[in-house]
Amino acid sequence: MSRKLKNILVTGGAGFIGTNFIYYLFRKTNFTGRIINVDLLTYAGNLESLEAVEAEYGTGGTEGKAGRYVFEHADICDGKRMAKILRQYDIDTVVHFAAESHVDRSILGPEAFLRTNVTGTFTLLEAVRAYWTDKDGKFRDDVLFHHISTDEVYGSLGKEGYFKETTPYSPRSPYSASKASSDHLLMAYHHTYGLPVTLSNCSNNYGPFQFPEKLIPLMILNMQQGKPLPVYGDGKFIRDWLYVEDHNSAVWMIMNKGRTGEKYNIGGENEWENIRLLEKLIEIVASQTGKSVDSLKKLITYVKDRPGHDRRYAIDCSKLKSELGWKQAHTFEEGLQNTVEWYLNHNDWISHIRNGEYTKWLENNYQNR
Ligand code: NAD
Ligand code: TYD
């Protein structure tokens, strides 16, 4: 049986995966409800990514579809504001993407990670608990809080083995520790108060709209500009890569049909050593730009390792596949080709997000409602 998801609050919808999720829902599914995108627009958020959605589905959008998409500039740590938004739009579903998401930044400055990932998640949970319960503290039966998390909560693998849903948590960076805390809070609200929740832990995503501090977009853009390609440590760290739309199709499937109170791992079954992945990317960038493979390989620069760098992540997603019938729709080759093409053709988006232009524009123009 499928849930009736009507008025969906998407947190962090102006970031990488949230933006792709909003496009996915409007363009690739039969969703007929409304999306309220709540985002603080930190350095990682860019409303420009959603201009096409705003034009078609925003309040001033194309007739007939207008009003199915609303943006609210807000901080998830602001409990009063969250309560107001829940009421104002009669929210029945939350899908919680908003987070500080980059491991290197969490090493340099962990505080923002605790604030948004832990306090922010707690604040949202409290807001829905107040809004979705009756006077006896009983939850409405048409509500759902889906929390987006990462495989990094499980820690680091050796050469063998996979992360399963039952693998004990062992986070090793301030980022993964803050995400682990948010997962625990979610499950605590389910077990203690009966909040209807689902949780997903996904491996590394790649695709359009990713902030170019993460491995794949950073390398593509450095190749385009002839800059060094910084490889941490010996380059033999392993990640399991998944195209962002395939992550979102899994999230949507879990939100619709996943068992309440359950967690599901999502992964690409696609492990690559960083250095091998970089060589693959070099071939694709060379073929799309006409640059020579040799000239791009000369840019590879081994640099000092990230402190506490997790050696290997690999996901066992058999529960998601066997219970819900999920499968990936994109091969790695296809996904990488699309991604390289997208970054090579979106120079304005890249310069705007890198210069924090939307944040500056907001500071000057946006009326906080
Ligand atoms: P991102 O950094 O690209 O986007 C995060 C978004 O959250 C931004 O738009 C930012 O403005 C917003 N935000 C930050 N603090 C906020 C606050 N206090 N209030 C409201 N909005 C705020 O991140 P992403 O890569 O899209 O990741 C989204 C989620 O997916 C995160 O929870 C992350 O942990 C998880 N995840 C990411 C990956 C990956 O490979 N990127 C893999 C697995 C899970
Ligand atoms: P990243 O994209 O930061 O994701 P995560 O650390 O969350 O997995 O990094 C992916 C891998 O690439 C990770 O092993 C660190 C490595 N890496 C580099 O070697 N060089 C870089 O410049 C970056 C950003 C990452």
Side-chain angles (χ1 to χ4, degrees):
M1 204 194 69
S2 204
R3 294 188 175 90
K4 291 190 190 82
L5 311 169
K6 291 192 301 266
N7 296 323
I8 304 186
L9 175 65
V10 176
T11 71
F16 164 49
I17 307 176
T19 291
N20 279 285
F21 181 78
I22 293 172
Y23 277 106
Y24 178 73
L25 247 59
F26 280 132
R27 298 209 163 145
K28 303 263 170 103
T29 70
N30 55 8
F31 172 66
T32 54
R34 199 174 193 205
I35 291 179
I36 314 305
N37 173 15
V38 164
D39 199 298
L40 183 59
L41 297 178
T42 66
Y43 79 95
N46 187 354
L47 276 187
E48 200 176 340
S49 311
L50 289 159
E51 271 171 0
V53 169
E54 180 67 53
E56 204 172 338
Y57 299 98
T59 40
T62 323
E63 209 180 335
K65 293 173 179 170
R68 287 187 59 208
Y69 169 76
V70 179
F71 174 68
E72 286 281 348
H73 180 220
D75 184 346
I76 57 163
C77 299
D78 179 346
K80 281 197 183 133
R81 190 73 195 286
M82 292 306 110
K84 183 171 172 228
I85 290 170
L86 291 173
R87 263 196 326 273
Q88 185 175 349
Y89 299 103
D90 189 20
I91 298 294
D92 51 70
T93 308
V94 173
V95 52
H96 178 31
F97 292 94
E100 289 291 336
S101 69
H102 190 43
V103 174
D104 293 327
R105 283 183 192 255
S106 82
I107 295 167
L108 291 171
E111 199 174 338
F113 287 72
L114 295 194
R115 184 183 180 279
T116 287
N117 301 1
V118 184
T119 307
T121 303
F122 164 70
T123 307
L124 271 176
L125 288 167
E126 277 292 272
V128 296
R129 184 161 81 94
Y131 181 59
W132 286 343
T133 48
D134 61 21
K135 60 181 183 343
D136 302 321
K138 204 171 164 304
F139 278 92
R140 274 164 52 179
D141 55 12
D142 62 339
V143 295
L144 180 74
F145 191 114
H146 181 82
H147 181 51
I148 304 289
S149 193
T150 165
D151 58 357
E152 305 194 25
V153 299
Y154 297 120
S156 182
L157 290 166
K159 282 200 174 68
E160 307 288 319
Y162 296 91
F163 297 134
K164 297 179 190 303
E165 285 81 0
T166 50
T167 302
Y169 277 26
S170 180
R172 290 155 36 102
S173 73
Y175 164 64
S176 52
S178 67
K179 291 297 293 185
S181 309
S182 63
D183 293 11
H184 288 318
L185 278 170
L186 179 93
M187 285 306 183
Y189 271 64
H190 173 66
H191 292 295
T192 308
Y193 303 115
L195 176 67
V197 303
T198 43
L199 166 61
S200 54
N201 295 79
C202 190
S203 63
N204 286 60
N205 284 215
Y206 69 98
F209 301 114
Q210 187 167 32
F211 191 87
E213 63 188 349
K214 306 274 167 63
L215 182 73
I216 289 182
L218 178 83
M219 293 298 180
I220 298 170
L221 296 181
N222 284 10
M223 284 184 222
Q224 188 189 28
Q225 294 160 12
K227 290 187 181 163
L229 309 175
V231 175
Y232 297 169
D234 64 3
K236 294 188 174 165
F237 297 83
I238 294 176
R239 297 292 182 264
D240 171 0
W241 294 94
L242 179 68
Y243 193 59
V244 62
E245 192 175 292
D246 288 326
H247 178 188
N248 283 327
S249 73
V251 167
W252 186 234
M253 195 173 258
I254 296 165
M255 289 171 67
N256 276 283
K257 299 196 292 189
R259 283 183 289 143
T260 305
E262 288 290 315
K263 89 201 289 286
Y264 294 86
N265 281 350
I266 310 172
E269 298 178 316
N270 178 38
E271 292 181 50
W272 286 77
E273 269 184 1
N274 291 339
I275 188 68
R276 297 280 90 77
L277 170 57
L278 184 52
E279 285 164 2
K280 175 91 195 142
L281 262 183
I282 284 177
E283 278 171 29
I284 297 177
V285 171
S287 76
Q288 290 195 21
T289 58
K291 290 179 192 275
S292 80
V293 166
D294 281 350
S295 72
L296 294 176
K297 276 194 174 159
K298 286 200 185 103
L299 299 174
I300 295 177
T301 310
Y302 285 89
V303 299
K304 195 163 166 267
D305 204 0
R306 169 190 282 173
H309 196 171
D310 290 337
R311 194 65 173 166
R312 174 171 168 256
Y313 301 146
I315 279 273
D316 176 341
C317 56
S318 52
K319 176 175 173 181
L320 176 66
K321 292 201 300 184
S322 63
E323 251 186 47
L324 303 183
W326 174 79
K327 17 183 222 287
Q328 298 176 60
H330 302 85
T331 64
F332 196 39
E333 179 70 31
E334 230 170 75
L336 281 182
Q337 291 280 3
N338 290 348
T339 306
V340 169
E341 196 182 324
W342 192 88
Y343 278 92
L344 295 179
N345 288 298
H346 285 79
N347 289 326
D348 283 353
W349 183 90
I350 291 153
S351 75
H352 295 162
I353 196 160
R354 273 198 160 147
N355 299 330
E357 261 171 42
Y358 254 80
T359 314
K360 284 185 220 149
W361 169 80
L362 260 176
E363 278 160 9
N364 295 328
N365 297 304
Y366 205 85
Q367 290 298 318
N368 217 342
R369 280 170 281 176

